[in-house]
Amino acid sequence: MRNIFFLLVFAASSLIAQTNWSVDKSHSKVGFSVSHLVITDVDGFFKDYDAKITTNGDDFSTANIEFTVNTASIFTDNENRDKHLRSDDFFNSEKFPKMTFKGKSMRKVSDNKYKLVGDLTIRDVTKQVELDVKYNGMVKDPWGNTKAGFKVTGEINRFDYNLRWNNTIETGALVVGREVELIIDLQLVKKS
């Protein structure tokens, strides 16, 4: 009898199907903001990225997340600045073409808020980061696709990842701020 009970529990747990999600790139943005000369912010984003996301059913607290960004795809609407950001002063896109994030846990903290913890690798440095995730809900679009929306925010110290270019202005402040704000809008599409 005990074996039948365990068999039923195992069978029931296997009914919770693994769900695969892809990023709807036309409705998503992997962006950042950093201070410039202390008085303004410069915003940018990455044009080329990919994600592998799986969940148990529609439970995002079970999310397994792998995110990859092509560092050469950086765009700040200034060609010279973008070339500088691709250089060894910052990303060194030739030597380190990919920036990666590997999720470790996604803990629900309220109805629509999560804490996402994972390893972020930029250049040859990997550090654990904690990001805030706001779950904006799930809907069916007019074409029958199930979509889920998220806003992911957080902050990293660029010096921690050897993005060390640091000219200063006359007051001693950095031309480019040390702290970089991450602002990521994701619309996911349920695949299976």
Side-chain angles (χ1 to χ4, degrees):
M1 185 67 139
R2 178 180 249 183
N3 288 341
I4 292 172
F5 174 75
F6 284 121
L7 183 62
L8 289 173
V9 169
F10 177 75
S13 67
S14 66
L15 291 176
I16 300 174
Q18 180 174 323
T19 303
N20 297 306
W21 300 85
S22 64
V23 178
D24 178 349
K25 292 184 182 178
S26 62
H27 298 102
S28 300
K29 187 175 185 179
V30 178
F32 62 89
S33 184
V34 64
S35 71
H36 181 254
L37 300 175
V38 187
I39 58 171
T40 57
D41 291 336
V42 170
D43 299 331
F45 62 93
F46 294 91
K47 294 180 177 183
D48 186 18
Y49 55 89
D50 204 3
K52 182 178 177 184
I53 301 169
T54 59
T55 58
N56 292 337
D58 293 339
D59 181 2
F60 287 99
S61 68
T62 66
N64 184 355
I65 301 167
E66 293 180 26
F67 208 87
T68 304
V69 174
N70 178 350
T71 59
S73 73
I74 195 164
F75 180 80
T76 64
D77 203 21
N78 181 299
E79 189 175 329
N80 288 333
R81 178 171 52 221
D82 293 346
K83 281 182 186 175
H84 189 203
L85 290 168
R86 291 181 194 111
S87 77
D88 193 39
D89 284 342
F90 291 95
F91 289 105
N92 192 346
S93 296
E94 189 173 316
K95 186 174 180 182
F96 305 105
K98 301 290 181 194
M99 173 173 42
T100 62
F101 176 83
K102 171 84 169 130
K104 291 179 166 180
S105 68
M106 186 144 146
R107 180 174 50 88
K108 191 171 192 174
V109 294
S110 71
D111 284 346
N112 68 336
K113 296 201 171 139
Y114 294 81
K115 290 287 186 184
L116 173 59
V117 175
D119 288 333
L120 176 64
T121 301
I122 302 174
R123 293 178 62 114
D124 56 349
V125 177
T126 301
K127 291 195 166 291
Q128 183 171 292
V129 296
E130 182 177 89
L131 303 172
D132 294 314
V133 179
K134 181 182 176 198
Y135 173 52
N136 295 319
M138 189 180 307
V139 298
K140 272 214 189 288
D141 70 14
W143 302 273
N145 301 300
T146 299
K147 304 267 188 102
F150 299 87
K151 180 174 276 295
V152 182
T153 57
E155 197 171 80
I156 62 168
N157 181 334
R158 67 182 175 90
F159 285 8
D160 289 346
Y161 296 92
N162 292 328
L163 308 176
R164 295 193 173 270
W165 186 83
N166 64 347
N167 281 1
T168 57
I169 58 177
E170 63 187 29
T171 63
L174 295 176
V175 172
V176 177
R178 184 182 312 251
E179 301 300 324
V180 179
E181 183 182 2
L182 307 177
I183 310 154
I184 302 165
D185 291 296
L186 290 176
Q187 190 172 115
L188 303 182
V189 185
K190 185 188 281 193
K191 302 307 278 183
S192 59

